[in-house]
Each structure stands twice: as structure tokens, then as C-alpha cells.
Amino acid sequence: MSTTSTTERILEAAIELVSEKGYAAATTKSIAELAGVNEVTIFRHFGNKRGILKAIIEKFSYGPILQKTIQLEVTYELQDDLLLFSEEYLRYMFSIKDFVLIGFREAGSFPEIDEEIANIPRVIKEELMKYFMEMQRREKIMDIDVEPIAMSFIALNFGHFISAARLGSNVTTIDLTELLRTSVIIFSRGITP
Amino acid sequence: MSTTSTTERILEAAIELVSEKGYAAATTKSIAELAGVNEVTIFRHFGNKRGILKAIIEKFSYGPILQKTIQLEVTYELQDDLLLFSEEYLRYMFSIKDFVLIGFREAGSFPEIDEEIANIPRVIKEELMKYFMEMQRREKIMDIDVEPIAMSFIALNFGHFISAARLGSNVTTIDLTELLRTSVIIFSRGITP
DNA sequence: TATATACGCAAGCAAGTACTTACATTACTA
DNA sequence: TAGTAATGTAAGTACTTGCTTGCGTATATA
């Protein structure tokens, strides 16, 4: 037997299958098979199929990780800070990539997921706005409403994430770090007074 | 009876249900019901369930991608052009929103969709690159590789689209046109020499 | 040693699903 | 008016799916 707990193995299998095929198409039988567990064991652990997804949501919605991720060491050098943020953001998003995918897929049938997914940009927006306001105080960026600035920067990074995660090299062969560098340069110049 | 053809009514119902619940959860019975058609009629028209989705893919892949705006209405005033492009892009994306959603959901089971979805940014990228190169010739934007510039601008707009389409007002209450204006201003300044 | 806990295995059930077949009905067309 | 194409209706089939039940087995703990 493997070292990880049964519950954990079932969850991992479920995450993989649901993110790949969707909730309905990921049968309890296939999940059990991938987890190397008898199908009955799933029901003993989670009650019913919905229970698996509820457990997945709980597992990922452990928010503090996100909070920690964005609180980086700021130097108040605009370009450096934004690049660091972008890199950290993408690292985080890739670490929860499967969950984001599940979120986009099953939001209709599981409203709780929508809640969690929407929470990510909300938290990030607040943090970014604080940073931009401080930068305005130091007169290092333009003096306009910081919320659309923050939203735009998030949109930019999120766009890169989806592009890399779902389209891969189907659209461009430029690697992600290179793309990030360019877009951060553009954005920094764009909000510098 | 309604004026639209039976085939069309079935397709519309299928698009609505599949984009909302996913392919597996959208049963032929429910599609028939929504279309106001007997279930058997579906099989007479499309052979089997997969046939419906194939028809959906074909229906969308024949539509032109953006097309008109970029080539015809450019003024070579950077900010004006980019804003016009952004608005047109979002209008287009919203018009095929359901299809994009289906694409993200069922790409795993229907590789043909992935092909079509990836085609959208690819075509747009080419168009944008041409424009940026012309702008470089006119010395109106910085002289760096145009591909990452184009990719960044697409990422930015795509991010706004997803944000508006899936998160709605859960993250920000600023309306989309306002957001677009700010992000275009930032981007324009960012690539101006 | 005795008992509880966790899991596997086999069988099965009720409900749903995609899909078929056979026949009746309507509407348009030659 | 006769015939053809498109749809509805009814019934059914083969299969899958989530879930349950009953029982046997291994491991750990008291």
C-alpha cells in the first residue's frame, strides 16, 4: 500500500478526473480505480458523490496560503515589485490549476466553488490597491483611481495564466517568463508619471 | 410552431444546456424538451449525441473572427485604435460566450473544440502584430519584439472578458467600458517610445 | 487474547441514459 | 389526388451509475 492516507488518495484521484472530464463524467468507479481503492470505500468516507467535491472545495479554500503568497518583500521599485508579483501569482495559480479548472466547469452545479474562485481576485485586488496607493504617496505612479489599475493588472496576469494553462504553445512559442517580463515592462511604463 | 427550423432549435437548446451544465449532464431528453421537439427527432437529425456537439462546433467555426474592425477602421492613433479594438474584441467574445464556455469545459472529450478555441487568439495575434509593426515603422511605438506585445494585449483583454463573464460584479463594481478605457490608456503609454 | 476499525469483495437494485423500432399523423408537392 | 418527407407517440433494450447490503479479512489497540 502507498504511504498517503486513503482519504487523500481518493481526493487526489477525484481532483484529477473531475478537472479533466468534469464532475458528471468522473464516475465513482473510475475515481476508485485511479485511487487504487474499492468503490465502496469512497461512500464510506464521503457518504455520496457530492461529498467528494465538497471535500475538494474545503481542501482548497484554505485561504491563508494565498494571503501569504502575495505578501512579498516590496522594494517600492515599481518594475521589480510588479515582476515579482506576477511570477508569484502565476506560481500560485499553477499550484491550484486543477481547482480553478473545476471551478470554471462546475460553478453552475456547485455555487460554493464560485464563491471560492471569486475570492482569489478579490483578495489580490485589495492587496494590490494598497500597494498602488502607497506608490502614489511616494509619487512613483500616476495619480488616478487605483482600482481599475489593480483590476487591469490582474486581468493581464490572469490572461497569461489561462493562455499558458489551456492553450499552451498553440498560440505562441514564447515562454511564459519572457512574456511576463515584457508585459510588466509595458505596464510599469504605463502607470509611471 | 415556431419559425426557426427544427435543426436550429435543437442546436440552440443544446448550446444553452451544454454551456450551462456540461455535455454529460445535458441529456438528450432535456435538450429535446427545451427545443420543444420529440427526443427521437434529435437522433434523426444528428445520428447520436456526439453529432449534436459536432454540429455546434461547425456552426461556430464558420463564423468570422472579428475581421472587420482591425483592418478597416485604423487611424494610427495608438490609443484610439487600441480602445476600438478592445471594445470590438469584447463584443465578439460575448457573442460567442457560450461556445467559449463549452470549449473550456469539453476540450478534453472533444479535441476539435480546442483547435477552434485556440484559433481565435492565433488569428487575432497575427492581425495585432501586423498593426504593431506598422506602428513601429511610423515610429509611434517602441522598437521591441511585437509578438510579446500582442500576446500581452490579448491577455489583458481576455482577462477582462473572463472577469466580466464569469465573476461579474463579485470582484469589482467598476463597469467594463471604464475598465477598458483605463487599461488601454496604461497599455498605450507603456508601448509609446 | 479480545475487540474495534478499516478495507476488500460480490452481488444487486432502482433509476436514468443513449438509442432503436414500428406505426400513426400532418403537410407539402407532383 | 396520390405520394413523400418530416415529425410525433409509444414501447422497449442494453447499459451505466450511484449507492446499499452482507460478509470476510487484516491490522492495531486495550
Side-chain angles (χ1 to χ4, degrees), chain B residues 108-163:
Chain B
S109 344
F110 294 83
E112 314 96 289
I113 305 188
D114 232 13
E115 197 63 27
E116 283 304 322
I117 293 284
N119 202 42
I120 298 174
R122 201 158 35 209
V123 170
I124 294 180
K125 187 190 80 174
E126 297 300 329
E127 248 6 84
L128 268 178
M129 281 174 67
K130 268 188 239 163
Y131 172 75
F132 285 135
M133 281 169 76
E134 174 61 24
M135 288 297 270
Q136 281 183 340
R137 216 185 49 77
R138 297 173 183 238
E139 293 183 353
K140 289 199 165 182
I141 66 169
M142 282 167 27
D143 200 25
I144 56 173
D145 189 3
V146 291
E147 188 168 352
I149 301 181
M151 287 305 296
S152 293
F153 194 58
I154 293 173
L156 178 63
N157 285 296
F158 183 73
H160 282 313
F161 165 68
I162 293 288
S163 178

Side-chain angles (χ1 to χ4, degrees), chain A residues 6 41 44-45:
Chain A
T6 308
T41 308
R44 286 199 265 245
H45 277 249

Side-chain angles (χ1 to χ4, degrees), chain A residues 151-163:
Chain A
M151 287 305 295
S152 294
F153 194 58
I154 292 173
L156 179 62
N157 285 295
F158 182 72
H160 282 312
F161 165 68
I162 293 288
S163 177

Side-chain angles (χ1 to χ4, degrees), chain A residues 103-123:
Chain A
F104 272 86
R105 266 216 179 89
E106 314 313 331
S109 346
F110 294 83
E112 313 98 289
I113 305 188
D114 231 13
E115 197 63 28
E116 284 305 322
I117 294 284
N119 203 41
I120 299 173
R122 203 156 36 209
V123 171

